[in-house]
Amino acid sequence: SQQGEEDPQALSIQEGENATMNCSYKTSINNLQWYRQNSGRGLVHLILIRSNEREKHSGRLRVTLDTSKKSSSLLITASRAADTASYFCAPHNQGGKLIFGQGTELSVKP
Amino acid sequence: DTEVTQTPKHLVMGMTNKKSLKCEQHMGHRAMYWYKQKAKKPPELMFVYSYEKLSINESVPSRFSPECPNSSLLNLHLHALQPEDSALYLCASSHKISDRVILFQPQHFGDGTRLSIL
C-alpha cells in the first residue's frame, strides 16, 4: 500500500508539552501533506513538504521529510487543548492521489 | 467555517431510497473529490473530477453515482445503499491549472454528510 503508516496511533500529553507524530510510506512521492481533523468535522490542511525539501515550519508546526527512509515527522510545540484532534499524514503519489495514513489521535489535557 | 459547503449535514435513508449529497465551492478550484470515512479510519478516495470530467473512479459500486454539473458543484447520487455504506462522506476541492497537468496542491474539505442506512 502507498498509504502512510503513522506512529503512535494515540498520544496523550499535557498542555505545554511537545507532540511528535511519525509517518512512514512505501513508494516515491511528489510531496507529503499533513492534515488535522477535529471530531465530527472535515479535514484541515496543515502543511505540505515537497520531496526535495527536508524540513518545513509553520507557526508551532515543524515537519521533516527523509525520502531515503521514506518517513516524515510532525512536531507540534507548546501544545494547547485546542490541538486535540486526529492528525493524518498523506503522501501525494506521482499519479496525483492523496492516500491518507491511519492517523494519530492526539489528546492534550489542560 | 469551511469554504467547501456540504448538504445535508446528516442523512438517514432506507435501503430502497434515492437521495443525493451536494457539495459546493466558490474558490475557483477545478479538481473536486469524494471521500468515504468510517469511524476511527482515514478517508478513502472514491471519485475525482478534473475540469468537470470524471478522472478517477476507485472501483466504487454503481449504487454511488457522482455528477459534476458545473465547476462549483459536485453531487453524489445514492440508490439502493447497504448498511455498510453508513459513513461520513467528505467532499474536497483543490487548484488545478489545466486538465492535462497533475497539480499537487492541498485539498480543502467540507465538514461532510453523516449518512446512516437503515
Side-chain angles (χ1 to χ4, degrees):
Chain A
S1 167
Q2 297 173 27
Q3 75 181 53
E5 299 294 333
E6 295 183 62
D7 170 56
Q9 291 186 342
L11 179 60
S12 182
I13 59 175
Q14 294 294 130
E15 213 167 23
E17 293 179 340
N18 295 343
T20 300
M21 290 160 258
N22 301 296
C23 170
S24 61
Y25 57 93
K26 295 182 179 178
T27 63
S28 63
I29 59 171
N30 176 278
N31 66 61
L32 187 142
Q33 302 179 28
W34 285 89
Y35 287 79
R36 183 188 76 227
Q37 185 176 30
N38 290 84
S39 181
R41 302 296 300 272
L43 281 76
V44 174
H45 177 260
L46 295 175
I47 198 164
L48 180 155
I49 186 165
R50 300 192 190 286
S51 59
N52 61 353
E53 296 177 309
R54 293 295 166 259
E55 188 170 314
K56 203 161 182 180
H57 296 254
S58 176
R60 294 185 295 113
L61 306 180
R62 173 178 168 252
V63 167
T64 63
L65 180 65
D66 187 336
T67 53
S68 66
K69 294 182 179 178
K70 292 187 166 59
S71 67
S72 174
S73 68
L74 171 67
L75 168 67
I76 304 174
T77 60
S79 63
R80 304 166 183 169
D83 295 328
T84 294
S86 293
Y87 291 81
F88 295 95
C89 74
H92 209 163
N93 69 14
Q94 299 296 340
K97 293 183 190 177
L98 205 57
I99 311 294
F100 290 90
Q102 292 298 310
T104 293
E105 204 168 314
L106 174 65
S107 175
V108 181
K109 301 187 186 310
Chain B
D1 289 340
T2 63
E3 296 168 307
V4 177
T5 304
Q6 290 189 244
T7 56
K9 292 190 185 305
H10 302 274
L11 179 61
V12 179
M13 57 187 285
M15 289 190 284
T16 58
N17 292 156
K18 284 185 181 181
K19 295 285 185 184
S20 297
L21 309 184
K22 296 186 183 303
C23 174
E24 188 168 3
Q25 57 88 14
H26 294 288
M27 294 179 282
H29 292 170
R30 302 306 293 273
M32 295 187 77
Y33 313 79
W34 280 114
Y35 290 87
K36 173 183 177 180
Q37 186 178 27
K38 301 283 269 186
K40 303 287 187 184
K41 294 291 186 182
E44 296 176 357
L45 183 65
M46 299 174 72
F47 302 104
V48 180
Y49 272 82
S50 172
Y51 280 71
E52 295 84 73
K53 296 177 190 172
L54 183 64
S55 63
I56 295 176
N57 176 340
E58 291 288 282
S59 302
V60 178
S62 60
R63 56 186 185 267
F64 295 92
S65 175
E67 178 197 20
C68 191
N70 61 54
S71 61
S72 300
L73 294 175
L74 186 65
N75 298 320
L76 186 62
H77 302 297
L78 315 173
H79 174 55
L81 295 194
Q82 303 298 308
E84 61 265 27
D85 297 323
S86 297
L88 180 67
Y89 288 84
L90 294 163
C91 172
S93 68
S94 67
H95 279 295
K96 196 170 186 189
I97 55 173
S98 84
D99 194 29
R100 292 186 179 184
V101 174
I102 297 173
L103 199 61
F104 300 95
Q105 290 295 310
Q107 293 181 16
H108 298 250
F109 283 79
D111 281 337
T113 294
R114 189 160 300 281
L115 177 66
S116 298
I117 307 300
L118 301 177

